[in-house]
Amino acid sequence: MNESIVRLRALEPEDLEMLYQIENDRELWNVGVTNVPYSRYTLHDYIASQKGDIYVDRQVRMMIENGAGETVGIADIVNFDPQHRKAEIGIIVVNGQRRQGFALEALRQLADYATTTLHLHQLYAYVDVENEPSLMLFKKAGYSGQAVLAQWLFDGKNYHDVVLMQYFL
């Protein structure tokens, strides 16, 4: 796949509206650990307070742009653990931009960044067992399911099992 279809870049103040929409989309809350709405003010402060140093912040959030320069999603590296050379990964491509290869290419670029810049040994993600599109995405990117964690996520009504997906670099 042509790498030019995606570019990962740092958060900019102009990303506030997209960040606000994604963080406050209740349909996405069950795929992560966020379950409260965020104000624009809080997100503005988040963007402004990032040091841009994963060793200080223990995370990095990057915007995903398509080949036309349009922002189509967000990719996160969180729970960065330099001692054990691993980090958790998260990715969201907005509705209307999915199934075009953006997420797969972003995962490939994140793996390259994790290898060449951060010198990590592994990336991992927790994926709801019922989220077939995400499970297929991670498998296509070379991740393998290592364990099922029972009742790992709570959506406000029900508990959901997740698959621990790992990618060894």
Side-chain angles (χ1 to χ4, degrees), residues 12 27 58 105 150 154:
E12 298 288 350
E27 291 181 18
R58 293 291 193 229
E105 182 56 32
F154 184 64

Side-chain angles (χ1 to χ4, degrees), residues 7-13 15-25 28-29 31-40 42-65 71-80 87-93 106 110 113 118:
R7 183 174 80 95
L8 299 177
R9 63 166 177 78
L11 279 171
E12 298 288 350
D15 298 317
L16 178 61
E17 282 308 309
M18 176 170 277
L19 192 60
Y20 179 80
Q21 289 173 3
I22 288 172
E23 293 292 352
N24 289 294
D25 183 345
L28 298 174
W29 287 0
V31 298
V33 295
T34 300
N35 61 359
V36 297
Y38 286 97
S39 70
R40 283 180 178 84
T42 299
L43 293 171
H44 177 272
D45 281 356
Y46 169 77
I47 292 171
S49 70
Q50 293 299 295
K51 304 288 186 232
D53 182 347
I54 194 168
Y55 290 92
V56 173
D57 297 329
R58 293 291 193 229
Q59 65 179 358
V60 63
R61 174 167 272 182
M62 292 182 251
M63 303 308 287
I64 305 168
E65 287 186 349
T71 305
V72 297
I74 299 175
D76 296 314
I77 295 177
V78 298
N79 297 323
F80 174 63
E88 184 177 350
I89 195 164
I91 191 161
I92 296 173
V93 173
L110 286 170
Y113 172 73
L118 302 177

Side-chain angles (χ1 to χ4, degrees), residues 6 40 87 112 126 148:
V6 164
R40 283 180 178 84
D112 183 61
Y126 299 104
V148 173

Side-chain angles (χ1 to χ4, degrees), residues 4 41 64 83 113 117 127 141 158:
S4 67
Y41 180 81
I64 305 168
Q83 178 183 356
Y113 172 73
T117 304
V127 180
N158 300 299

